[in-house]
Amino acid sequence: NAGVMQNPRHLVRRRGQEARLRCSPMKGHSHVYWYRQLPEEGLKFMVYLQKENIIDESGMPKERFSAEFPKEGPSILRIQQVVRGDSAAYFCASSPNKNTEAFFGQGTRLTVV
Amino acid sequence: QKEVEQNSGPLSVPEGAIASLNCTYSDRGSQSFFWYRQYSGKSPELIMSIYSNGDKEDGRFTAQLNKASQYVSLLIRDSQPSDSATYLCAVAGSGAGSYQLTFGKGTKLSVIP
């Protein structure tokens, strides 16, 4: 049973480009969460999605960031016009329902140059 | 603003000793508590969950919860060099926000051979 799969593992973008981060949850999990970890900072909640629905995006910056979890395919976290401050590790987690343990993927380390 | 506080460490213990990691939280309504282990450059790995007051043991790990004091701890018995990592305390939100984890910044543990 594969765990949470994220790709790419490492992503380098120039300022102003777009970054697309993908997350496939564990089999049987329909709840997906995105967290961001800045250097020397704790993990911060960004967004919670179920299939085709954004449940809570209160932790996501209002501009340039968006997330989706389509009926078919992985969840996507999209960052438009990236800036240096977006450089961080982005982790996706999934759970079978909203009140149970969440398991994390390997993360995508975004570097903006 | 929900907060989770941990001593940043580093906490150094000799091999074979007991490592004690502590965490306090601000949200009195929280019902679910988790300990994750994160090796440098890797993703958080769930090692313990605890939901009711008291102790919960799993192998060399014991989680302790005291909701009245808003305090969670993790004991690692017979510490091994492979336990050297950053340990993250995570607290689920209360009520409708129970899916959202608030993380402490982590305690870095170093087990000295």
Side-chain angles (χ1 to χ4, degrees):
Chain A
N1 184 16
V4 179
M5 304 300 292
Q6 288 189 250
N7 68 81
R9 296 287 301 278
H10 300 275
L11 182 62
V12 179
R13 285 288 178 265
R14 296 188 183 280
R15 280 178 294 174
Q17 291 184 319
E18 178 179 290
R20 280 186 177 240
L21 288 59
R22 298 175 193 79
C23 169
S24 296
M26 288 178 71
K27 188 176 181 181
H29 289 193
S30 59
H31 299 250
V32 167
Y33 318 84
W34 286 91
Y35 286 79
R36 177 165 66 174
Q37 188 172 38
L38 292 165
E40 307 305 320
E41 293 289 326
L43 283 149
K44 302 292 185 189
F45 169 81
M46 298 182 74
V47 61
Y48 163 40
L49 311 103
Q50 293 180 14
K51 281 288 186 182
E52 300 185 272
N53 290 303
I54 297 174
I55 308 301
D56 180 357
E57 56 183 350
S58 61
M60 206 153 63
K62 297 274 189 290
E63 297 179 357
R64 302 188 298 107
F65 284 72
S66 62
E68 62 178 13
F69 189 13
K71 186 176 180 180
E72 301 292 336
S75 175
I76 305 287
L77 179 67
R78 181 182 178 206
I79 311 172
Q80 295 177 288
Q81 299 176 320
V82 296
V83 301
R84 287 254 172 89
D86 297 332
S87 296
Y90 292 82
F91 290 100
C92 169
S94 73
S95 64
N97 63 61
K98 80 172 190 177
N99 290 322
T100 55
E101 299 160 341
F103 296 89
F104 282 79
Q106 292 298 307
T108 294
R109 280 148 184 86
L110 172 67
T111 302
V112 180
V113 298
Chain B
Q1 181 78 358
K2 298 170 188 172
E3 293 182 349
V4 176
E5 299 286 342
Q6 294 182 253
N7 290 329
S8 61
L11 173 65
S12 294
V13 299
E15 185 175 354
I18 295 175
S20 178
L21 306 161
N22 305 315
C23 170
T24 59
Y25 60 94
S26 64
D27 187 351
R28 281 198 168 275
S30 295
Q31 299 295 320
S32 305
F33 307 86
F34 308 92
W35 284 98
Y36 287 83
R37 177 175 61 197
Q38 187 174 28
Y39 293 110
S40 180
K42 302 296 185 183
S43 63
E45 174 192 5
L46 179 66
I47 54 173
M48 288 288 284
S49 58
I50 187 165
Y51 305 97
S52 52
N53 282 328
D55 295 0
K56 179 182 177 184
E57 187 174 318
D58 183 359
R60 295 186 296 112
F61 298 100
T62 299
Q64 299 174 317
L65 173 61
N66 184 325
K67 290 182 182 178
S69 300
Q70 295 172 248
Y71 176 88
V72 193
S73 66
L74 179 70
L75 300 177
I76 306 174
R77 288 182 301 282
D78 189 23
S79 295
Q80 301 297 309
S82 58
D83 295 326
S84 297
T86 297
Y87 288 80
L88 307 174
C89 174
V91 178
S94 54
S98 60
Y99 51 82
Q100 184 176 139
L101 297 177
T102 299
F103 283 83
K105 291 187 178 180
T107 298
K108 189 171 184 178
L109 172 67
S110 181
V111 180
I112 312 300

